[in-house]
Amino acid sequence: MSKSFLTLGIESSCDETSVAVVKDGKEVLSNVIASQVDWHRKFGGVVPEIASRKHVELINPVIDEALKEARVSYDDLSLVAVTFGPGLVGGLLVGISAAKAISYAHSIPLIGVNHIEGHIYANFISSPDIKPPLVCLTVSGGHTDLLYFESLGQYQILGRTLDDAAGEAFDKVARVMDIGYPGGPAIDKLAKEGDPKAIDLPRSFINEDNYDFSFSGLKTAVLNYINNQKQKGQEIDKADLAASFQQAVVDVLKAKVIKAVQNKGVKQVLLSGGVASNSQLRRELKEALEELNIKLYYPEPKLCTDNAAMIASAGYFRWQENKEVNPYSLNAYPALRLR
Ligand code: KG4
Ligand code: ZN
């Protein structure tokens, strides 16, 4: 029997210090996530300087815990995969330095992973039988990308946001509504009690003949609505506002995905990134695609938001493709994009 291939994944691009051990790219043996959310909450967003310092404190204990939980040692590892962008430079450098040290000290190949590719590959952990061709929507705090996968590792960018990412819009709107941090889960919860038709909000580009997105107009419309209500001395129904905002985001995402599947003729769609855990987006997209006989996949909630198992999985599949590893000159690329 051939020895199983164990990848150590390291993720530190934002405010989660995470380390995972993944077997053969799909089976998670451990996925330790140390969230810094409590340190950033009072600032209403991630403070890069605090994030870097916390990553330095947390990285070694989290590596130890991930190996212990997976019941493996450094000698059992075949590959070290680390996020090298996009993200906050300070955090990325902490993860990259730790990965290089492990790779060098234990003679294990090193591979740099694009964080957005990581989000996409989270789907292959939750549903190992997925096979392209497919369309993939990645919606996170920093990205909104619509991709067409012809085969594994070969994708075409159909469209992306021209301004704010979908998750960023959730976070900013939740902040002006003062309903908690991070904004996505807070709006998701509050929207369940509101009327999605109560407030008329814009759905940018919904009928345009492209796959691009724009969410900054929607954010401004929410801000204007709040200011107008205040000037008129009228109460704001936060549940109605949350529901109306969320409906506007879901309508646009759904319309673009449906246009993409119809043009590309695919039978499978992947959802990935933190916003992929939004309950209304999952439900409405699933229903709309089912009517077209198309299957929707999304990762389990823990694999939607930032975690190292998805980085290990993406690194494994990249390595499988061409066995290309990175030299120790691997650097952090804060503005790295999908190519
Ligand atoms: O993928 P992720 O953990 O980090 C980035 O790579 O950006 O995504 C975080 C984003 C945040 O903007 C957060 O508000 C959003 O995902 N999010 C949600 C939900 N859960 C997390 N947005 C909408 N509904 C949710 N349930
Ligand atoms: Zn992410």
Side-chain angles (χ1 to χ4, degrees):
M1 201 177 76
S2 65
K3 194 171 163 271
S4 55
F5 191 104
L6 300 185
T7 305
L8 184 79
I10 300 181
E11 157 60 36
S12 58
S13 67
C14 193
D15 61 342
E16 262 95 30
T17 316
S18 180
V19 180
V21 178
V22 174
K23 189 174 152 187
D24 300 330
K26 292 180 176 178
E27 191 186 331
V28 180
L29 303 188
S30 65
N31 187 20
V32 180
I33 305 168
S35 173
Q36 306 173 4
V37 70
D38 291 340
W39 280 289
H40 300 286
R41 181 171 282 116
K42 64 169 172 278
F43 303 100
V46 178
V47 184
E49 180 62 22
I50 296 177
S52 309
R53 286 166 192 264
K54 288 292 162 197
H55 284 305
V56 171
E57 275 172 34
L58 291 164
I59 192 77
N60 284 330
V62 173
I63 292 170
D64 290 345
E65 202 179 324
L67 291 173
K68 195 170 155 210
E69 213 180 276
R71 297 170 186 268
V72 299
S73 71
Y74 287 116
D75 293 337
D76 300 315
L77 301 174
S78 307
L79 185 67
V80 181
V82 63
T83 305
F84 74 112
L88 300 170
V89 69
L92 289 167
L93 286 171
V94 173
I96 293 171
S97 306
K100 284 181 188 172
I102 294 167
S103 162
Y104 184 68
H106 299 277
S107 303
I108 309 165
L110 172 75
I111 190 159
V113 172
N114 182 318
H115 180 83
I116 311 165
E117 269 187 37
H119 275 301
I120 296 165
Y121 279 87
N123 275 292
F124 292 85
I125 299 173
S126 290
S127 312
D129 52 330
I130 299 171
K131 282 198 179 61
L134 51 87
V135 160
C136 175
L137 175 69
T138 303
V139 267
S140 72
H143 308 278
T144 306
D145 295 301
L146 191 58
L147 308 175
Y148 167 61
F149 272 75
E150 200 176 304
S151 61
L152 215 62
Q154 261 202 318
Y155 53 76
Q156 175 197 351
I157 299 167
L158 299 175
R160 53 171 44 131
T161 182
L162 303 185
D163 41 56
D164 291 353
E168 192 180 353
F170 270 94
D171 293 335
K172 286 178 175 169
V173 164
R175 186 151 54 178
V176 295
M177 288 172 69
D178 198 19
I179 56 167
Y181 172 83
I187 290 183
D188 196 351
K189 190 162 169 242
L190 190 57
K192 291 186 178 24
E193 295 155 31
D195 173 6
K197 294 199 180 85
I199 302 148
D200 189 24
L201 293 169
R203 282 139 173 86
S204 302
F205 295 171
I206 195 162
N207 294 318
E208 304 262 324
D209 193 21
N210 62 27
Y211 295 112
D212 289 330
F213 303 91
S214 166
F215 294 107
S216 84
L218 174 59
K219 176 193 67 190
T220 308
V222 171
L223 199 61
N224 288 342
Y225 173 80
I226 293 173
N227 289 337
N228 284 341
Q229 292 297 101
K230 277 186 186 160
Q231 273 170 8
K232 287 191 245 162
Q234 281 173 358
E235 281 276 306
I236 294 159
D237 186 321
K238 289 189 178 182
D240 279 353
L241 186 53
S244 302
F245 162 77
Q246 186 170 276
Q247 187 68 61
V249 175
V250 170
D251 282 353
V252 175
L253 295 176
K254 203 168 60 177
K256 298 282 169 168
V257 169
I258 287 171
K259 188 203 290 273
V261 297
Q262 286 176 331
N263 282 347
K264 292 292 176 189
V266 300
K267 287 282 160 213
Q268 302 176 98
V269 172
L270 307 187
L271 203 52
S272 64
V275 184
S277 47
N278 184 269
S279 57
Q280 189 183 353
L281 177 62
R282 286 177 180 231
R283 188 181 61 248
E284 285 202 17
L285 199 52
K286 189 165 185 282
E287 282 168 10
L289 290 171
E290 261 169 14
E291 278 184 26
L292 300 170
N293 229 348
I294 292 165
K295 188 156 166 56
L296 175 70
Y297 293 91
Y298 40 74
E300 57 190 84
K302 187 179 173 182
L303 295 174
C304 281
T305 43
D306 291 350
N307 69 91
M310 69 185 197
I311 302 302
S313 178
Y316 169 83
F317 285 108
R318 267 256 170 260
W319 187 83
Q320 284 288 90
E321 232 173 82
N322 53 19
K323 307 283 186 285
E324 250 180 51
V325 293
N326 284 104
Y328 291 129
S329 56
L330 177 70
N331 207 345
Y333 288 91
L336 186 69
R337 301 179 90 177
L338 289 172
R339 278 170 288 130

